[in-house]
């Protein structure tokens, strides 16, 4: 894939826009569904809880979250207006249990200690100031809450040609060090492996990723 196309793909992975963004979001929902499901499983969602997803994409996975327990309240936030519109369009039937919000990618537009569970999948590469942003997550998470951060491991991510464009990649040790500089006190790391279709073609690739379960 030529450089300009890779750049465009990288841009739309970070902030999907327009028709290309919608196409990339559909592909992301397919390739990331395993990571999303493992993240949601790690949250141990219970009845009557409020769940925040940071970087919801097209939220094609929302039904799977709402089915995990009774009387859940889901909030999704994203920096992409295209993804906001797609998520609203695709999830009209769940509008009584869900809300989608556009935000600036740095400040979470919520009060303190609002959410029982928070998760994010494949967004950490694009955070401008990860320590500050993690402290924002800490702020809006209830004291008894759980935050799950899921990311592709650096060695794997480096093999993908588009990650040279504005991606910050992390080893397990590097992401642990970032979290250790925040207010969070407890962290558990799980490594996972799966086979997925490539984002740049039809071949299958083996992805190694990390699920961090983080608590106050």
């Amino acid at each position: 894939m030529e450089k300009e196309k890779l750049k465009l793909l990288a841009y739309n992975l970070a902030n999907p826009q327009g028709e290309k963004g919608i196409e990339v979001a559909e592909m992301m929902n397919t390739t990331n569904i395993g990571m999303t499901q493992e993240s949601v499983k790690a949250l141990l969602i219970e009845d009557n809880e409020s769940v925040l997803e940071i970087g919801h994409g097209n939220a094609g996975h929302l039904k799977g979250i709402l089915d995990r327990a009774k009387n859940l309240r889901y909030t999704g936030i994203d920096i992409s207006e295209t993804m906001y519109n797609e998520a609203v369009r695709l999830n009209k039937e769940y509008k009584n249990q869900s809300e989608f919000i556009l935000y600036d990618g740095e400040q979470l537009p919520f009060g303190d200690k609002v959410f029982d569970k928070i998760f994010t999948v494949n967004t950490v590469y694009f955070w401008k100031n990860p320590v500050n942003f993690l402290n924002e997550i800490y702020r809006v998470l209830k004291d008894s809450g759980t935050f799950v951060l899921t990311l592709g491991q650096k060695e794997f991510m480096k093999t993908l040609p588009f990650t040279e464009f504005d991606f910050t990649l992390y080893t397990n040790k590097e992401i642990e060090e970032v979290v250790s500089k925040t207010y969070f006190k407890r962290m558990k790391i799980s490594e996972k492996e799966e086979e997925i279709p490539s984002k740049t073609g039809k071949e299958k690739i083996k992805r190694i990723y990390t699920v961090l379960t983080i608590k106050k």
Side-chain angles (χ1 to χ4, degrees):
M1 194 179 278
E2 60 196 68
K3 195 162 189 174
E4 284 311 308
K5 284 187 179 173
L6 286 171
K7 239 186 211 179
L8 181 63
L9 175 58
Y11 175 77
N12 276 289
L13 288 169
N15 186 359
Q17 299 292 320
E19 284 185 24
K20 181 65 178 174
I22 291 171
E23 181 189 315
V24 168
E26 287 172 359
M27 174 267 295
M28 277 198 290
N29 192 62
T30 302
T31 58
N32 289 345
I33 194 66
M35 293 177 82
T36 300
Q37 288 169 343
E38 287 293 336
S39 304
V40 171
K41 195 193 296 182
L43 287 171
L44 302 176
I45 295 171
E46 297 179 2
D47 294 350
N48 306 307
E49 289 191 326
S50 55
V51 180
L52 172 65
E53 179 176 11
I54 299 168
H56 56 68
N58 69 11
H61 51 276
L62 178 55
K63 182 181 186 300
I65 295 172
L66 296 177
D67 284 348
R68 293 194 77 85
K70 294 175 187 170
N71 197 30
L72 295 182
R73 180 73 194 165
Y74 168 95
T75 303
I77 58 171
D78 209 291
I79 61 172
S80 164
E81 190 171 354
T82 298
M83 289 303 89
Y84 167 82
N85 291 331
E86 272 295 279
V88 169
R89 183 181 72 80
L90 290 172
N91 293 286
K92 283 177 183 163
E93 63 188 292
Y94 309 116
K95 64 183 180 185
N96 292 334
Q97 276 185 274
S98 64
E99 176 184 26
F100 296 100
I101 296 170
L102 272 170
Y103 84 122
D104 65 5
E106 296 185 48
Q107 303 292 320
L108 296 176
F110 309 108
D112 298 350
K113 302 179 183 179
V114 174
F115 297 100
D116 298 286
K117 305 288 163 68
I118 302 176
F119 76 103
T120 190
V121 177
N122 285 333
T123 67
V124 68
Y125 326 117
F126 312 115
W127 296 354
K128 290 176 186 167
N129 189 322
V131 171
N132 286 1
F133 194 64
L134 284 164
N135 282 334
E136 268 290 277
I137 293 167
Y138 181 97
R139 180 181 67 77
V140 304
L141 183 68
K142 291 180 182 177
D143 288 340
S144 58
T146 301
F147 167 51
V148 168
L149 169 61
T150 302
L151 69 157
Q153 291 188 3
K154 188 176 195 172
E155 283 307 304
F156 163 74
M157 295 293 288
K158 281 191 336 196
T159 67
L160 307 176
F162 50 81
T163 58
E164 67 176 288
F165 304 104
D166 300 319
F167 278 66
T168 300
L169 306 179
Y170 298 92
T171 62
N172 284 352
K173 188 169 184 222
E174 286 166 344
I175 197 67
E176 278 185 86
E177 283 172 3
V178 170
V179 176
S180 73
K181 292 174 185 170
T182 73
Y183 299 135
F184 283 108
K185 295 288 187 288
R186 292 179 286 157
M187 176 174 34
K188 183 182 85 175
I189 286 191
S190 303
E191 287 193 0
K192 309 282 181 182
E193 191 177 291
E194 64 179 352
E195 202 171 68
I196 57 161
S198 162
K199 286 184 174 68
T200 57
K202 292 182 180 175
E203 72 274 13
K204 293 269 190 178
I205 53 176
K206 192 177 281 185
R207 169 159 63 194
I208 301 168
Y209 66 94
T210 298
V211 179
L212 281 83
T213 306
I214 306 169
K215 290 180 173 281
K216 290 189 171 183

